[in-house]
Amino acid sequence: MKSNSLLVRLIAAFAVITILALGAVFAFMTWSTSAEFDRVRERLDNQRASELGMAATRYYVAAGDWTGVQPYLRHMGDMWDWRIILTDADGTVVADSDESLLGQTYSADPRDGLIVAQVGDRKAPGTLYMEPQNPPGAERAMLAGLLKRIGRFLILGLLVAFAASVALAWFLSRRILTPVTDLRLAVQRLGAGDLSQRVDVKDPGELGELANAFNTMVGQLQQADATQRQMIADIAHELRTPLSNIRGYVEAIKDKVLEPDAETIAVLDGEAVLLSRLVEDLQELSIVEAGQLTLQRQPEDIAQLVAHAAEAMRAAATAKGVTVSTSVGDELPLVSVDYHRISQVLRNLLDNALTHTAQGGSIAVEATPRGDFIEVSVSDTGEGIQPEDLPHVFDRFYRADRSRARATGGRGLGLTISKELVEAHGGAIGVGSESGEGSRFWFTVPVDVGESPADGQAAHSTH
């Protein structure tokens, strides 16, 4: 067992606490016993002095004077081992348990340790001077013997308590350290790359909370690892096709199967552009997710932003036979956005809508106030999104129809980047769709500080 282990430290702590507690008890008992011994002795002496005073008074009343009192006081002194002196009203010693002061004048100060009591009646009083002859050394010896016996009991109790504390510390430490050890081993295996580690601790206190936090962390790491692996696989998959196409054309040109004419070069250029855009999208996404994107926010007119994005898309939509319309309130407040980034979001949504809208369909862009935000939506009459695909439309590289997306040049990152850009502005993004009935993507951007939505808006449409 290591000397610096938690088990050893717990046992040592229990032992020290036990020793200190019993030491304090011993010191308190020694002091309190000594003080109580003195109080009991003082009460007993005062009680004996009071009884002797009453007995002397009765003697004087019965005899009429102090004649013959000497033998009585000598007997009482021998019985109690006291020095007893009795003087009459003039201070003359009429009785002395030691018989050494008889007939002499005697007086003493009570502060000398004597017990002084007045006896007799008012006409012929006397004074008793009583001094217990049990020497203080003997009393202290008796007290020391008593304390020694108490000390032996305390030492025995200390040994029993120490053994009990060690056993209790062992039991408690094993109960505490077992889940800690399990957690330590799990952390070590986790550090070695095993993400399947979990700690089963049923403790309702802090240890249970620590185990739950560990299990949650490992679950998140496992999910992040799976996401990373999936992302790497998706990137490899996305790069494989254009790279294979480029390599195929290069080998064909090398083998003289194809001529490096304008058409072949155009195909190679298109594949290179696709690769370049994919790399740019990945770079931009990594910057946004790392929180390193710098937004150039300023007050902007959302109506102008919508109009410009729709106009830029209109030529491609007309070529495909799709109409694009906008509906924006007349008095919408300014919004606090990075014009370039929010335009990018809107273009991504329009491009996605156009990709999934067949000839003869339509796309509608709307902007409406929502409290402290403006909501911008892009609706289309395309094929819609299956319910099982809706939760994943903003995931990177996710495509409900991979073959169709590849045919249209989609890279599966536009919606993911749009989500990150909107959330970087403090807004939200979402989608509503039913299969076969089109989709409606929307996002919100904050109103510029100092602006407020107008009480009423008169919508207008452009086609």
Side-chain angles (χ1 to χ4, degrees):
M1 185 184 299
K2 296 181 179 180
S3 60
N4 62 345
S5 68
L6 185 57
L7 176 60
V8 172
R9 284 181 284 175
L10 282 173
I11 293 175
F14 270 80
V16 169
I17 291 173
T18 302
I19 293 173
L20 291 177
L22 289 178
V25 170
F26 180 78
F28 175 76
M29 288 189 64
T30 300
W31 172 80
S32 61
T33 302
S34 178
E36 186 63 24
F37 185 87
D38 291 339
R39 285 193 292 269
V40 170
R41 189 198 60 159
E42 184 179 356
R43 286 196 298 269
L44 181 60
D45 289 346
N46 289 331
Q47 182 178 359
R48 285 177 176 178
S50 177
E51 292 174 355
L52 182 58
M54 288 187 294
T57 299
R58 288 195 296 270
Y59 181 91
Y60 179 82
V61 171
D65 56 23
W66 295 116
T67 303
V69 75
Q70 169 64 25
Y72 175 73
L73 286 186
R74 185 176 63 247
H75 171 72
M76 296 301 296
D78 293 340
M79 183 176 65
W80 289 349
D81 193 20
W82 279 22
R83 174 74 182 275
I84 305 174
I85 299 172
L86 174 64
T87 64
D88 59 13
D90 298 328
T92 302
V93 177
V94 296
D96 179 4
S97 60
D98 284 353
E99 300 182 353
S100 61
L101 298 177
L102 290 174
Q104 299 181 24
T105 302
Y106 179 82
S107 64
D109 192 335
R111 290 177 296 182
D112 294 336
L114 300 177
I115 302 174
V116 180
Q118 296 296 323
V119 296
D121 59 13
R122 295 180 180 178
K123 294 181 180 180
T127 305
L128 271 173
Y129 299 92
M130 294 161 282
E131 179 183 6
Q133 293 299 302
N134 190 13
E139 294 178 0
R140 293 301 171 189
M142 293 173 56
L143 179 60
L146 176 62
L147 293 178
K148 187 175 181 180
R149 290 191 294 273
I150 294 175
R152 284 198 294 267
F153 284 111
L154 284 176
I155 291 174
L156 179 61
L158 174 63
L159 294 176
V160 173
F162 180 79
S165 67
V166 170
L168 181 61
W170 178 271
F171 172 75
L172 292 178
S173 61
R174 296 296 297 176
R175 184 171 182 178
I176 295 172
L177 293 179
T178 296
V180 173
T181 301
D182 294 341
L183 184 60
R184 177 177 59 82
L185 295 176
V187 170
Q188 290 176 345
R189 289 190 287 266
L190 177 64
D194 185 1
L195 297 180
S196 64
Q197 292 302 308
R198 296 294 187 277
V199 180
D200 184 19
V201 177
K202 298 180 175 61
D203 191 289
E206 288 81 358
L207 287 176
E209 294 177 0
L210 179 61
N212 291 333
F214 174 81
N215 292 338
T216 301
M217 179 194 69
V218 174
Q220 293 173 345
L221 288 175
Q222 201 169 26
Q223 183 179 3
D225 181 69
T227 301
Q228 183 181 26
R229 292 176 183 273
Q230 183 62 43
M231 183 184 71
I232 294 174
D234 288 337
I235 292 175
H237 181 75
E238 294 296 324
L239 293 176
R240 184 179 296 113
T241 299
L243 286 174
S244 297
N245 290 340
I246 292 174
R247 183 177 180 183
Y249 273 94
V250 170
E251 289 182 351
I253 294 173
K254 183 179 179 180
D255 295 339
K256 307 297 183 180
V257 176
L258 289 176
E259 294 293 331
D261 53 17
E263 182 180 355
T264 303
I265 293 175
V267 172
L268 290 173
D269 181 66
E271 295 296 331
V273 169
L274 179 61
L275 282 174
S276 177
R277 288 179 179 175
L278 178 60
V279 172
E280 289 176 359
D281 285 348
L282 287 170
Q283 183 180 17
E284 183 172 29
L285 184 59
S286 65
I287 292 174
V288 175
E289 289 183 338
Q292 297 177 351
L293 178 66
T294 301
L295 298 176
Q296 304 296 328
R297 299 179 70 161
Q298 57 186 10
E300 299 288 353
D301 184 355
I302 193 67
Q304 185 180 13
L305 190 150
V306 168
H308 287 175
E311 187 62 32
M313 179 62 63
R314 187 164 284 112
T318 301
K320 191 176 180 180
V322 176
T323 60
V324 179
S325 65
T326 61
S327 178
V328 181
D330 289 332
E331 298 181 4
L332 289 179
L334 298 179
V335 292
S336 175
V337 297
D338 184 318
Y339 185 90
H340 171 71
R341 295 300 183 180
I342 294 302
S343 294
Q344 181 181 357
V345 172
L346 191 51
R347 287 197 304 270
N348 283 341
L349 297 183
L350 286 168
D351 182 69
N352 181 74
L354 183 60
T355 299
H356 297 282
T357 302
Q359 183 177 5
S362 63
I363 299 173
V365 185
E366 297 183 14
T368 55
R370 292 287 185 269
D372 294 333
F373 292 84
I374 297 296
E375 180 183 280
V376 180
S377 64
V378 177
S379 304
D380 63 63
T381 58
E383 70 271 19
I385 304 172
Q386 296 293 333
E388 63 271 17
D389 294 321
L390 271 176
H392 306 288
V393 294
F394 294 104
D395 294 349
R396 66 180 72 194
F397 296 115
Y398 187 83
R399 298 191 183 96
D401 186 349
R402 289 183 174 268
S403 61
R404 175 171 181 156
R406 186 173 304 287
T408 56
R411 297 176 297 281
L413 293 174
L415 293 179
T416 306
I417 293 174
S418 297
K419 179 177 182 294
E420 296 292 341
L421 291 176
V422 169
E423 291 179 350
H425 280 80
I429 192 169
V431 60
S433 178
E434 292 186 13
S435 180
E437 297 186 8
S439 303
R440 179 180 180 272
F441 285 82
W442 57 267
F443 66 90
T444 60
V445 288
V447 172
D448 184 49
V449 177
E451 295 285 343
S452 60
D455 294 334
Q457 282 81 18
H460 67 278
S461 299
T462 61
H463 299 273

